Amino acid sequence: KQEVTQIPAALSVPEGENLVLNCSFTDSAIYNLQWFRQDPGKGLTSLLLIQSSQREQTSGRLNASLDKSSGRSTLYIAASQPGDSATYLCAVTTGTASKLTFGTGTRLQVTL
Amino acid sequence: DAGVTQSPTHLIKTRGQQVTLRCSPKSGHDTVSWYQQALGQGPQFIFQYYEEEERQRGNFPDRFSGHQFPNYSSELNVNALLLGDSALYLCASSSWGTANYEQYFGPGTRLTVT
């Protein structure tokens, strides 16, 4: 059974800092890994999708890496801003269809 | 291009009642998945529909059932509601059989059972 863990559970940083969020998964036979952002009480916004054959993806200030063999992914956020405050969830797709298994998220607060 | 839409936004029900939630997928998508997200937790997979059939199911009781219509929209039905069914219900759409399986989520329906 696939299990996804995210560390840390919560993080508070001052504006402008670079930060790293971690995600680990137990079954390396994944199709892809997605990072999502969730604002309180809202739905999920897809940030980055990394295919199992890829090592990293970048979008603006975000960079996600994937090490499938060790079951790890990191989300790097450069020059954090208060608007980045949200919960960040990682999820992996395994099996023959697009079922996502999620971690419990990292709640990020960026302070002025 | 409309994204994934869900209705209603919020819902309050009493224990034992039944509820129906609705989802319209993103234009061009034919697969709908439903997730339950309890407070402070990650979303949990309920089931997935493609070609009007349930293709996969997570670890949820038979009180949870669904339907997909010819226009790809979907309904989630929950019978005999329990207090523990209170959660944010998320719908996700994707294209069946595409290599990247990227999923797009709707805004969710907040269900409160009293």
Side-chain angles (χ1 to χ4, degrees):
Chain A
K1 177 188 172 187
Q2 179 74 270
E3 292 183 0
V4 180
T5 303
Q6 291 187 244
I7 295 174
L11 184 63
S12 181
V13 300
E15 182 180 15
E17 275 205 5
N18 303 324
L19 57 100
V20 174
L21 308 181
N22 297 292
C23 172
S24 62
F25 47 94
T26 55
D27 182 355
S28 62
I30 64 170
Y31 279 88
N32 60 47
L33 183 146
Q34 268 184 275
W35 281 94
F36 294 92
R37 168 186 172 136
Q38 185 174 34
D39 293 296
K42 305 297 184 182
L44 307 183
T45 301
S46 180
L47 298 174
L48 290 164
L49 170 75
I50 310 177
Q51 301 292 345
S52 61
S53 59
Q54 298 175 322
R55 299 282 294 181
E56 66 178 333
Q57 282 287 339
T58 298
S59 176
R61 295 183 292 108
L62 305 180
N63 175 275
S65 66
L66 174 64
D67 184 344
K68 200 173 75 162
S69 62
S70 68
R72 294 181 180 182
S73 175
T74 60
L75 178 66
Y76 176 82
I77 302 177
S80 59
Q81 303 171 358
D84 295 330
S85 298
T87 295
Y88 291 80
L89 294 153
C90 77
V92 296
T93 302
T94 51
T96 56
S98 50
K99 168 189 170 182
L100 288 167
T101 301
F102 284 86
T104 53
T106 293
R107 189 171 66 252
L108 172 66
Q109 182 176 15
V110 181
T111 59
L112 292 170
Chain B
D1 179 22
V4 181
T5 60
Q6 292 186 243
S7 64
T9 305
H10 296 90
L11 207 50
I12 299 175
K13 291 287 189 178
T14 303
R15 275 180 300 175
Q17 287 188 317
Q18 180 263 345
V19 68
T20 297
L21 312 181
R22 296 176 177 83
C23 171
S24 291
K26 179 180 169 63
S27 177
H29 285 178
D30 55 11
T31 303
V32 173
S33 302
W34 288 91
Y35 292 81
Q36 180 195 65
Q37 186 179 24
L39 200 61
Q41 301 297 314
Q44 298 291 316
F45 176 77
I46 303 174
F47 43 54
Q48 180 184 76
Y49 278 83
Y50 169 66
E51 289 188 333
E52 303 178 47
E53 290 188 12
E54 184 181 292
R55 299 291 176 161
Q56 282 199 101
R57 188 178 185 90
N59 189 26
F60 279 80
D62 291 344
R63 298 186 298 108
F64 290 77
S65 63
H67 187 76
Q68 185 179 35
F69 300 93
N71 67 353
Y72 308 123
S73 66
S74 176
E75 288 182 348
L76 164 65
N77 301 293
V78 187
N79 295 321
L81 284 167
L82 305 174
L83 294 179
D85 295 332
S86 295
L88 181 67
Y89 288 84
L90 296 163
C91 167
S93 75
S94 57
S95 293
W96 184 268
T98 55
N100 63 11
Y101 289 130
E102 185 167 9
Q103 296 201 44
Y104 295 83
F105 281 78
T109 294
R110 170 71 63 186
L111 173 64
T112 301
V113 182
T114 62

